[in-house]
Structures are given as structure tokens and as C-alpha cells.
Amino acid sequence: MDLNSASTVVLQVLTQATSQDTAVLKPAEEQLKQWEIQPGFYSVLLNIFTNHTLDVNVRWLAVLYFKNGIDRYWRRVAPHALSEEEKSTLRAGLITNFNEPVNQIATQISVLIAKVARLDCPRQWPELIPTLLESVKVQDDLRQHRALLTFYHVTKTLASKRLAADRKLFYDLASGIYSFACSLWNHHTDTFLQQIFTGDEAAATNSLERTLLSLKVLRKLTVHGFVEPHRNVEVMGFLHAVFERLKQFLECSRSIGTENVCRDRLEKTIILFTKVLLDFLDQHPFSFTPLIQRSLEFAVSYVFTEAGEGVAFERFIVQCMNFIKMIVKNYAYKPSKRFEDSSPETLEAHKIKTSFFTYPTLMEICRRLVSHYFLLTEEELTMWEEDPEGFTVEETGGDSWKYSLRPCTEVLFIDIFHEYNQTLTPVLLEMVHSLQGPTNVEDTNALLIKDAVYNAVGLAAYELFDSVDFDQWFKNQLLAELQVSHNRYKPIRRRVIWLIGQWISVKFKSDMRPMLYEAIRNLLQDQDLVVRIETATTLKLTVDDFEFRTDQFLPYLESMFTLLFQLLQEVTECDTKMHVLHVLSCVIERVNIQIRPYVGCLVQYLPLLWKQSEEHNMLRCAILTTLIHLIQGLGADSKNLYPFLLPIIQLSTDVSQPPHVYLLEDGLELWLVTLENSPCLTPELLRIFQNMSALLELSSENLRTCFKIINAYIFLSSSEFLQVYSGDLCRSFCELLKDITTEGQVQVLKVVENVLKVNPALGPQMFQPLLPSVFRGIIDGERYPVVMSTYLGVIGRVLLQNASFFSLLLSQMACECGQELDQLLGNVIEMWVDRMDNITQPERRKLSALALLSLLPSDNSVIQDQFCGIINISVEGLHDVMTEDPETRTYKDCMLMSHFEEPKVTEDEEPPTEQDKRKKMLALKDPVHTVSLQQFVYEKLKAQQELLGEQAFQALMETVDTEIVTQLQEFLQGF
């Protein structure tokens, strides 16, 4: 591409590509795509985006195309890779001038230079770093800033490389430029501080930006540029200097006020200082040891003493708490149980920690966390009143919650309490004892303190197991506090019911559950919405607990379910509805069929909620989960839900519909549960299976559920189902078997096996295209035992239950393999006998014995040659299935089933589904469960004897090992 002639054309097309008109935009994009692989195209783009007189949008687009081209065509091994000559020209052009006036474009240019550096620096681009170092020294503000911006992005990119050779190169780079980077940072930092104190805000803003960028460079060099950074004087000097600079910047933030234009960048710089230290602690815990004492003193003074008042802002407090938490929890600083097994570095760090965390320090930290940081703020209390649902979402972990101060303080409390529980337990218990009895509703501060202390007791529940008699506390005080109905007491009602939820799985006697259920029922009628939502959460924790007993809960089921449903209707936020639905689902799941009398209202409401949630896929996922548990609870009665239920399944599992991305997994589970509990196959339920072909083509992690769904249709109504879909299913399976895992192969064959079991007459014809590959797998001696076992199961079904089709298949395979029919049969039997140990399921082992015995009586010499093997397998099968009656000393086949009995279900067991019943009925027709192997062996041997005569039969029996004959005779006593 000639630069002079092409520039005008490319510029014109780039201009068209910035158009809002798709008729202009699309052709331009296509043309640019074709030019991507043209030599010289990226040189033209470089000329365009470095020409500051051109339209900003056009230049922006040119930068983006250049950046994407680096990813695709810069590597030498890439298809249509750029030539070395063009790359050399581009590298030189990229660092000729650092004078881009537009910030966004400057950032993109810095990023693309870093991308090239990742691939070429330093070997093909040795001049990059020296050029950057020179450019950051210039006096021109713009050039200096752009060079520093590029320096940062290059350092960041090179620091991220992980191969050993790349790490070595970065270590060399860091050693060579670290001193310069430190002096650059110190220069810009000092300049900023001078300018801010002289009131030159504009100059200070520029200097602060350079301070921030140079600090970002130092962060990467310090954390990733040294193997043993504690041995480098400059590195440790920089880290100590960070603490001094932090103090200066914090004082600066106090003095400049909130309206100053520097304020936001100043706070970002302060946070970056803390990130440097936290990253260093994370990557080099032992190198950080000399800084432990200073870090703890610094963080504790700003967070837990007056030193931080008026200085520390929220994000800084969070970072300081992270400091303390990381040092307290750091595995590298924890000695082994036997101190002599610990490294000297660990013992040194542990010694520093121990000397710092004295009883007075720990007590003050604990008291300040609880009495200061745990208190509900004015902002939170206002939100409670004005937006109760928003308040509950924040409290239970909304998106902004994880970045806020409250969760950070709670996590720090938990970690410190766990580490120093012997010291802190008496401190917390003293705070609890000081709050005995109800609190005056007029004393807001006392109410907030009690809320905070109860919060601490809930967070430390596991640590307080041996120190708190929670059952007595519940009976003697907490229960009474739940009954204080005054509006101002609602923080305590909410906190107490939350506290019980924290302790329910730790220490709460089963016989006290009815008292708790009574309290929960009352609180679900509380005047305050936040209290009701919190109560629902505790109810979920209670029914989820392993000590939950349905009989204790049933007297409260109707009223609680009704109240939860009313709460579901009342709340309006998507997150809250999801939460309440989840509670309802848990209740339905635990009580199972006992829920049937009470679900009418929910069943009527869910269609409306589904319609209202069209734009909220996560809420729809919650509805699907609720429906899954609802169907399991309703059993066969779930058929009444089909007008609403089946369209939902149809939508959720249709891969051509956009919502399937969110709904597919739960939708498939609902489809499966619906089939398992369906009393009969309806036309609508049959029609949904049209979605399956596309699902099988996906070959996703949901394939296992898809196979379960197919099997459920087979068990539900094989004739109707296979009449419509056997062709599609067979084609899908043939495609799947071309490229599928071993497990997937087994799943496909299990479906075929179930078809043969349910419909032995027509099944082989329906899946005839699959059977030759199964046959070949047996002949070739399939190496995976689980696959071979399934192959033998499939062919065993055909041989035992459809002998005529087996003969046709044998003839077909003999032609394909070019073998005599008898020779092929002999090979199959020989392989079957040889690989019998691959079959581990007792049902399949008995099936194999029955199938091979079905070849008798026979005067075929090949079958007689394999007689010994057939008898060996038969005796193995008898060992598998025969159990001895200790009274009569006779044997009986333990797999025989004579009639269907409804199983007796205990309270903790789930009742059988309709599919479970269908499987039992099917088993009553299955030879494996209806034919006595003992009798079958006897009858086949007797028929063989009659066919051959006594002398020839005895000669045949002599081919069998005498020990096997003895065992056989023992099993056949009485015949």
C-alpha cells in the first residue's frame, strides 16, 4: 500500500466508518477489514492518528484499528504477519513525539506502545526504555506527561509477563531504572507539595498527575521487579518513604478542603500509596517483615485513635483495615504447632505481631470496632426509613456493599476475634452483660450500641460456642426483646432475629424450635418491612439446618407460607423478590408433599410474576428454582400447572431465544423434574422435545441433564415418544458419537439400552444405525472398561430379547468384516467372556449370563467351543445374584421381583416420583428381574443334554474347570 496515494483513501473510509448511518458505516467497516492484511496499512494509520489537524473521531478510530492489528498481525508466526521492515518503521514512528493533545487518544497510544513492547522489548526494541527515560525529563509539560503515561503502561505490561526468561528481563530492567524512577517520583511529589501549599492549584493538579503516574511505575517495579527486595536498600528506602509521604498527603487532604480540584486525585494517590504496601505484603511477606511494626502502628493509629479524625476518609480506612487483616491472617507469619519446625523468618514476624497485639491494644480495637464502626449510621437509618428494600439489599451484599466500610469492619472483627479469641472473648462478653434486659426505646444511642454488640456476638458465633449458653439467653432475654413491638425498637428486633439465624447451626437445641417458629410467625407480621425480610432469612437458615424436623414445623407451615407469600407480593425490588422466592423454595423443598394444601395462592401468582419479570432474567431464574421445588412437592398433581409451566420450559430451553443464556440450566432441571413427576405424556409435553436437537448440538455442560430428559421421555411413554422423535434422536446420536468424551459416549448408549429395555421389539430397528459401531467396539476389544460394559449391555439386550434381530445384525457385520458368520459369533462370545470383568453392575452381569445362555441349546460347533466360557460367566452371575436362606440353606435369586409395592417412606425420605414408579413397573417386565438365573441355567443345560445325548453332553461338561462344575452343582441343588 503506497503511503502517499493510500492516505487519502484510508482517511476517507475511516471518516465514513465514524458515520451514524449504517448504510455508510457497514461498507466502510468491510473495506477496513480487507485492508487489515495489506502491507503498509498500519503505516498509513500511524500517519493519520499522529496528524493532530484531523478530526478527533477519525484519529480515535485509526488508533483502535492499529491497536487491534497488533493483537492479530504483529507476531511473526501470525497469518498475514507484518513484515520486519514495516514493524521497524512503526516502532520508530510511535516514539518520535510524545505530544498527543487529546487525553483519550494519548492513553490508547500508550496502551498500543505497551502491546508492542510486550512482544518486542528489549530484543527488537532496545531504544524504547532509553527514549522514555529521556522524554520524561523534558521541560515541556505535555511531552513529559505523555512520556510518563507511556512509561507506566509499558512497565505495567512488562511486569505482567510470567515466563522465567521474561521475568529475568524485567528484573534486569527494574535494577537498571529503579533509582531513576525513585528520583522522578520524589521530584514530582516535592513539586506538588510545594505548589499545593503556595495555593497554585492548576500547577499542583499537573504535578499530582505526574506524581500518580510515577508512583504507578514504582508500584510495578517494587512489587514485581526483585526476587529478594528486602536486600535492596533503595526498595526498602522507598517503602519507608511511602509512610512519610502518606502522612504528608493525609495532612494535605485535611488542609485543602473538599471543594479543591485536586481533592479527588489526591485521594486516589493516597489509596495508591496503600496499594503499593498491600501488594508488596501480598507478594513478598517475608521481605515485608521489617515493615510490620510500622504498618500496624500506622494503620491502628489512623483507624482506632484520634489521629485519624478529620483526616481519614472511608476508602483509606478500608485500606488500613485490610493492612491489619492481611498481617493478622498471613500464613507466612503463623508458626507451626511445634515452634522448632518454623522458619526463622516466620518466628521473627510472629514475634513482632505478638509484641504489637497486646491486651490493651486488642481490647481497644475490639471496643472501637463494635462501639464505633458497627453502629448504624444516620445515612443507613435514613435509607431504612425511605428505602427499606434497598437497605436490606445493601446489608446482605449488594454490589456497592463489598466496597463499603461496614463489611470490611465485620471481616476484620471476625479475623482478629478468631486469631485472639481467648483474649477478646471476655471483652465481648462484658459488653453483652452490660446490656441485660430491654433498652429504653427513647435512648437511640443505647439501642444502636446494643444492635452493634449483638452483631458482634453473631459474627463470632463459632468462636463463642463454649462461652455462651445461647439457649438460656434466647429463653431469658432474646425472646422477650423480639416481643417489644415499639417502632423505635425495630433495630433490635431485626438484629435479634438475625442473631438467632447466625447461631441456629452453631448451638440451638432442637426442642426449642417450636418457640422460635412462634417468634418467626409473629415477626413475619411485624409492621416493619426490614424486620420481616430479615425474619424470612432466618427462617431459611432454620429450615436448611441439619437438625430441622418436619413434624415440629408442620403446625406453623400454613400460616408461615401464607405470610411469606404476602411478603413476596408486597416487595417490589427484583433482588428482594428473588430472596423471598428462595426462602419459599427452601420451605417447599424441606416439607415436600406436605406443602400441597397451601400452594394454591403461589401457583396463581407465579404466572403474573413471570410476566412482570420479563426484563429481569435473574428473577426468572429464581422463579424456575421455585417451580422445581414446587413440582417435586406436588408430584402428579403438577399436571394442573402445565398451561403455565410448559411455555416456561419451552422458552427457557430454546437456544434461539436470547433469555436461554440465563435460563437454560434451571430450565432443563425444571423440564426433567416435570417429566419425572408427570402422570402421563400430553401432546404439549411431547412438543417441547423439539428443542432437544439444538441442545444436543451445543454439547455443553448441560448434556448430562439432556440425556436424563431423553430417558425420562422413554420411561414416560416410549411408544408415543419414539414414534415421533426416534429418527431425529438417532441422527443426533450418530453426530454426537463422532466427537464426544467417553462419558458422553456412555450416556448415549445408556439411552439406547433403556429403549431396548422398554421396547425390545421395535427398539433395535429404531436405533439400527448405531448398533454396528457397538458391535465393532466389542470385536475390536474397546479399551475403556466403562464403554465396553455399556456395549455388552446393549448387545446383551438385543441377543436376549430380540434374537431374530441379533441374527440379522450378525449377518450384516459378517459381510462388513469379511468373516464367516459362525467365526464372527465365536469372536464375539470369546471377547465377551474375556471382558466380563469390565462389567461391574450386578444387573448387567446377570443380563450377560442370561444373554449368552440364550444361545443354548445348540449343536453349533462354534457355540460348543465357547461352552466353557458361557458356563464360567453363568457361575459368576450366580455368585452375584444368589443369596442363601440361612434357615432352609437354599439359594434364591435376589434380583427377582414378583409384584409392585408402594415403598414405605420415612419422614426424612423423599416420596417416590411418578418416574420411580414407572421404573418399578418396567422392572416387572424385565428378564433380569423376572427370570431366575438359577432356573434358567438348569433349563438350558437340561435342553442341551437332551439335544446332544448324555455322552456328548458329559464330554462338553468336561471342558469346564472341575471347581466351576462343583460350584454350579451346589447352586443347582434341588433341581
Side-chain angles (χ1 to χ4, degrees):
M1 185 177 277
D2 179 63
L3 283 182
N4 295 325
S5 60
S7 290
T8 307
V9 180
V10 174
L11 180 60
Q12 183 182 0
V13 175
L14 279 170
T15 306
Q16 292 167 350
T18 62
S19 171
Q20 301 297 313
D21 184 351
T22 53
V24 177
L25 171 68
K26 290 295 180 187
E29 287 181 337
E30 284 300 316
Q31 181 60 69
L32 289 166
K33 189 170 180 61
Q34 291 174 20
W35 283 339
E36 279 182 1
I37 58 174
Q38 290 292 318
F41 176 60
Y42 294 96
S43 298
V44 174
L45 290 179
L46 177 64
N47 286 346
I48 290 171
F49 71 70
T50 54
N51 185 345
H52 304 159
T53 63
L54 297 176
D55 180 71
V56 169
N57 292 324
V58 172
R59 293 173 56 227
W60 169 261
L61 198 58
V63 171
L64 292 185
Y65 268 94
F66 194 108
K67 191 173 74 169
N68 293 337
I70 295 169
D71 292 332
R72 292 174 188 156
Y73 309 115
W74 198 275
R75 295 177 193 275
R76 274 180 286 185
V77 295
H80 310 293
L82 276 74
S83 68
E84 291 303 316
E85 293 77 15
E86 185 173 5
K87 287 199 289 187
S88 179
T89 305
L90 293 173
R91 284 193 293 260
L94 285 170
I95 56 174
T96 302
N97 288 302
F98 295 100
N99 59 352
E100 172 54 53
V102 180
N103 285 334
Q104 293 91 332
I105 295 177
T107 300
Q108 290 301 320
I109 292 173
S110 297
V111 170
L112 70 84
I113 290 173
K115 282 178 175 286
V116 175
R118 184 179 182 86
L119 299 171
D120 289 359
C121 184
R123 292 186 179 90
Q124 285 82 38
W125 206 2
E127 64 273 19
L128 172 63
I129 299 298
T131 302
L132 289 173
L133 296 182
E134 285 303 312
S135 299
V136 297
K137 297 176 188 174
V138 299
Q139 296 304 307
D140 181 278
D141 279 355
L142 181 66
R143 286 190 63 201
Q144 187 188 68
H145 177 271
R146 298 318 190 213
L148 195 49
L149 180 67
T150 306
F151 188 27
Y152 160 61
H153 280 287
V154 168
T155 309
K156 177 184 175 183
T157 301
L158 295 180
S160 68
K161 299 179 79 172
R162 289 290 170 261
L163 293 177
D166 294 326
R167 302 293 319 127
K168 175 71 169 62
L169 286 171
F170 191 69
Y171 295 150
D172 293 342
L173 172 67
S175 298
I177 66 172
Y178 197 81
S179 180
F180 172 78
C182 283
S183 62
L184 188 70
W185 168 68
N186 272 317
H187 166 71
H188 289 306
T189 305
D190 288 336
T191 304
F192 162 72
L193 291 171
Q194 289 165 9
Q195 290 167 339
I196 199 72
F197 285 120
T198 57
D200 190 347
E201 287 189 13
T205 303
N206 287 335
S207 295
L208 183 57
E209 181 65 26
R210 286 156 181 70
T211 301
L212 193 59
L213 285 171
S214 55
L215 183 57
K216 285 181 177 181
V217 171
L218 271 175
R219 177 189 179 191
K220 295 300 177 185
L221 294 176
T222 304
V223 175
H224 301 290
F226 300 89
V227 180
E228 295 180 312
H230 59 284
R231 298 187 186 280
N232 187 297
V233 176
E234 284 187 307
V235 171
M236 299 311 289
F238 163 68
L239 291 169
H240 280 289
V242 165
F243 288 101
E244 296 306 319
R245 293 300 195 185
L246 258 172
K247 289 178 182 176
Q248 291 174 337
F249 274 62
L250 285 164
E251 284 303 317
C252 183
S253 72
R254 188 209 297 266
S255 63
I256 66 172
T258 57
E259 300 303 317
N260 193 293
V261 292
C262 291
R263 182 78 194 189
D264 183 55
R265 294 308 259 178
L266 184 61
E267 290 190 356
K268 282 185 179 178
T269 309
I270 290 169
I271 295 304
L272 186 59
F273 279 127
T274 63
K275 285 180 178 178
V276 172
L277 295 168
L278 285 167
D279 287 356
F280 191 79
L281 169 58
D282 180 57
Q283 294 292 317
H284 306 283
F286 289 130
S287 293
F288 194 85
T289 300
L291 301 165
I292 291 176
Q293 180 75 22
R294 189 168 188 181
S295 300
L296 289 172
E297 288 172 354
F298 178 87
V300 168
S301 69
Y302 276 102
V303 177
F304 297 111
T305 72
E306 287 71 26
E309 290 180 10
V311 178
F313 52 96
E314 187 169 297
R315 278 202 67 198
F316 174 68
I317 294 171
V318 168
Q319 292 293 87
C320 287
M321 288 185 174
N322 285 335
F323 245 134
I324 301 167
K325 182 182 71 174
M326 282 182 71
I327 292 171
V328 167
K329 284 187 70 177
N330 204 304
Y331 183 75
Y333 300 159
K334 291 186 178 181
S336 305
K337 288 184 179 177
R338 294 191 343 150
F339 262 57
E340 57 268 29
D341 294 338
S342 305
S343 69
E345 294 86 356
T346 298
L347 292 176
E348 174 65 20
H350 179 69
K351 181 181 174 185
I352 297 169
K353 273 175 56 180
T354 305
S355 67
F356 179 82
F357 286 112
T358 60
Y359 175 76
T361 302
L362 286 168
M363 183 175 68
E364 184 59 26
I365 289 174
C366 179
R367 287 188 178 279
R368 288 275 293 184
L369 278 171
V370 176
S371 62
H372 180 70
Y373 289 105
F374 279 15
L375 294 183
L376 288 169
T377 64
E378 282 294 328
E379 184 184 21
E380 288 169 325
L381 291 170
T382 302
M383 190 178 191
W384 184 330
E385 294 299 329
E386 296 177 356
D387 182 14
E389 289 185 56
F391 174 82
T392 58
V393 170
E394 286 285 310
E395 284 285 296
T396 53
D399 286 339
S400 61
W401 181 85
K402 58 190 174 187
Y403 302 112
S404 65
L405 184 57
R406 178 168 297 282
C408 187
T409 60
E410 292 179 351
V411 170
L412 177 61
F413 175 81
I414 292 167
D415 290 337
I416 287 184
F417 206 94
H418 175 74
E419 189 74 13
Y420 302 103
N421 63 339
Q422 289 185 325
T423 304
L424 293 177
T425 295
V427 177
L428 184 55
L429 291 181
E430 183 191 331
M431 296 171 82
V432 173
H433 292 147
S434 68
L435 299 170
Q436 293 295 329
T439 304
N440 184 351
V441 294
E442 303 299 329
D443 191 342
T444 303
N445 189 57
L447 290 171
L448 294 179
I449 289 288
K450 178 175 272 192
D451 173 80
V453 172
Y454 283 5
N455 186 15
V457 176
L459 295 173
Y462 285 98
E463 308 297 335
L464 295 171
F465 179 87
D466 294 321
S467 305
V468 173
D469 186 343
F470 193 80
D471 298 321
Q472 287 301 313
W473 193 28
F474 171 73
K475 278 197 300 187
N476 297 339
Q477 176 163 347
L478 298 180
L479 203 55
E481 299 212 71
L482 290 176
Q483 292 162 0
V484 179
S485 59
H486 197 285
N487 184 51
R488 289 186 182 172
Y489 214 73
K490 64 187 179 186
I492 306 304
R493 292 198 300 277
R494 167 190 167 260
R495 181 58 71 190
V496 169
I497 200 64
W498 170 88
L499 174 62
I500 294 166
Q502 301 307 110
W503 276 84
I504 199 77
S505 60
V506 178
K507 196 177 190 179
F508 198 92
K509 282 182 182 171
S510 179
D511 58 8
M512 297 181 67
R513 295 291 173 104
M515 294 168 64
L516 174 58
Y517 295 143
E518 189 77 42
I520 288 174
R521 182 169 63 183
N522 292 337
L523 283 180
L524 284 172
Q525 302 170 72
D526 196 274
Q527 59 190 345
D528 185 79
L529 181 58
V530 173
V531 174
R532 295 205 298 282
I533 294 170
E534 194 65 68
T535 304
T537 306
T538 295
L539 175 59
K540 176 193 169 296
L541 294 170
T542 306
V543 299
D544 266 352
D545 185 53
F546 71 94
E547 287 193 12
F548 174 79
R549 281 171 40 196
T550 309
D551 63 314
Q552 289 181 322
F553 186 68
L554 285 179
Y556 306 92
L557 175 59
E558 180 179 8
S559 55
M560 284 212 202
F561 197 83
T562 303
L563 290 165
L564 282 171
F565 174 66
Q566 289 171 0
L567 180 60
L568 177 64
Q569 288 180 298
E570 181 181 352
V571 296
T572 56
E573 294 292 326
C574 180
D575 286 334
T576 325
K577 281 192 179 290
M578 284 168 57
H579 179 61
V580 179
L581 266 177
H582 190 45
V583 178
L584 280 163
S585 294
C586 289
V587 172
I588 295 168
E589 184 180 15
R590 291 311 297 261
V591 301
N592 208 285
I593 59 173
Q594 309 279 1
I595 199 66
R596 291 178 184 177
Y598 315 118
V599 294
C601 56
L602 182 63
V603 167
Q604 289 175 0
Y605 176 65
L606 284 177
L608 174 63
L609 185 59
W610 180 265
K611 190 173 182 181
Q612 291 172 342
S613 62
E614 192 169 354
E615 301 299 316
H616 303 283
N617 286 308
M618 298 313 293
L619 177 53
R620 285 195 157 185
C621 286
I623 295 171
L624 291 174
T625 304
T626 304
L627 283 169
I628 289 167
H629 297 307
L630 199 54
I631 301 303
Q632 288 169 330
L634 290 172
D637 291 345
S638 61
K639 187 183 176 186
N640 299 327
L641 273 64
Y642 284 6
F644 161 58
L645 185 64
L646 300 189
I648 284 181
I649 297 172
Q650 166 71 40
L651 173 72
S652 304
T653 60
D654 183 351
V655 296
S656 68
Q657 298 290 333
H660 90 272
V661 175
Y662 304 95
L663 307 179
L664 181 58
E665 187 174 347
D666 292 318
L668 286 171
E669 194 63 36
L670 179 59
W671 190 358
L672 176 61
V673 167
T674 300
L675 289 166
E676 288 174 342
N677 289 277
S678 177
C680 60
L681 182 64
T682 67
E684 296 79 14
L685 195 52
L686 184 62
R687 199 174 301 122
I688 295 175
F689 196 80
Q690 292 171 355
N691 287 356
M692 185 56 72
S693 291
L695 289 165
L696 292 174
E697 285 174 21
L698 279 180
S699 295
S700 67
E701 65 276 6
N702 295 308
L703 209 52
R704 181 188 289 270
T705 310
C706 290
F707 286 127
K708 287 181 181 178
I709 288 167
I710 296 166
N711 283 320
Y713 273 105
I714 291 165
F715 293 130
L716 180 57
S717 182
S718 64
S719 300
E720 284 181 78
F721 170 64
L722 293 171
Q723 190 175 351
V724 179
Y725 291 110
S726 61
D728 292 342
L729 207 51
C730 191
R731 280 188 291 275
S732 294
F733 283 177
C734 287
E735 284 301 311
L736 270 175
L737 289 172
K738 290 177 184 176
D739 181 27
I740 198 170
T741 62
T742 300
E743 185 187 356
Q745 200 175 352
V746 169
Q747 294 297 328
V748 169
L749 294 171
K750 278 183 177 177
V751 173
V752 177
E753 196 175 5
N754 283 329
V755 171
L756 298 174
K757 190 188 297 184
V758 173
N759 200 329
L762 296 176
Q765 282 96 330
M766 290 175 173
F767 288 91
Q768 194 278 334
L770 291 172
L771 295 178
S773 64
V774 174
F775 211 100
R776 273 191 295 273
I778 295 173
I779 298 167
D780 296 341
E782 165 63 46
R783 63 194 180 99
Y784 290 110
V786 66
V787 178
M788 187 62 157
S789 169
T790 317
Y791 282 164
L792 294 172
V794 169
I795 295 300
R797 285 281 168 194
V798 177
L799 174 56
L800 179 63
Q801 296 182 263
N802 197 331
S804 59
F805 188 88
F806 180 80
S807 298
L808 291 172
L809 181 62
L810 192 65
S811 300
Q812 178 190 340
M813 296 308 299
C815 290
E816 287 185 19
C817 298
Q819 292 186 27
E820 291 293 323
L821 192 141
D822 283 352
Q823 181 191 358
L824 183 63
L825 177 60
N827 291 343
V828 170
I829 298 171
E830 187 176 350
M831 186 61 73
W832 204 325
V833 172
D834 184 56
R835 299 294 291 275
M836 183 67 178
D837 286 344
N838 289 170
I839 306 175
T840 55
Q841 304 91 328
E843 291 86 353
R844 267 205 200 131
R845 290 177 67 81
K846 180 177 177 180
L847 174 68
S848 286
L850 291 172
L852 289 173
L853 282 166
S854 71
L855 294 168
L856 302 178
S858 173
D859 56 3
N860 185 312
S861 61
V862 171
I863 293 177
Q864 290 188 24
D865 287 344
Q866 299 297 333
F867 180 80
C868 172
I870 294 172
I871 296 303
N872 285 349
I873 283 181
S874 301
V875 172
E876 280 189 39
L878 288 167
H879 278 293
D880 291 331
V881 304
M882 302 303 287
T883 55
E884 187 178 8
D885 189 323
E887 293 182 7
T888 61
R889 306 289 294 171
T890 57
Y891 289 96
K892 63 177 181 179
D893 190 330
C894 66
M895 287 194 185
L896 290 180
M897 294 172 60
S898 56
H899 61 282
F900 178 72
E901 284 185 3
E902 279 276 5
K904 292 178 181 176
V905 182
T906 64
E907 181 189 309
D908 296 329
E909 292 178 325
E910 291 185 7
T913 63
E914 294 299 304
Q915 179 162 299
D916 293 331
K917 296 173 187 175
R918 286 191 282 272
K919 285 183 177 179
K920 284 281 175 66
M921 294 302 293
L922 178 61
L924 293 176
K925 301 174 184 176
D926 186 351
V928 172
H929 296 291
T930 56
V931 174
S932 163
L933 181 58
Q934 184 187 33
Q935 185 156 354
F936 198 64
V937 171
Y938 171 75
E939 289 172 357
K940 288 295 181 179
L941 289 178
K942 194 169 190 318
Q944 187 70 26
Q945 184 181 29
E946 290 171 356
L947 176 67
L948 298 181
E950 181 64 30
Q951 188 174 356
F953 178 70
Q954 285 304 322
L956 200 58
M957 288 298 294
E958 285 174 8
T959 63
V960 183
D961 185 83
T962 54
E963 179 62 31
I964 298 294
V965 172
T966 304
Q967 294 172 25
L968 178 63
Q969 289 170 344
E970 192 176 330
F971 280 122
L972 298 183
Q973 280 178 2
F975 282 93

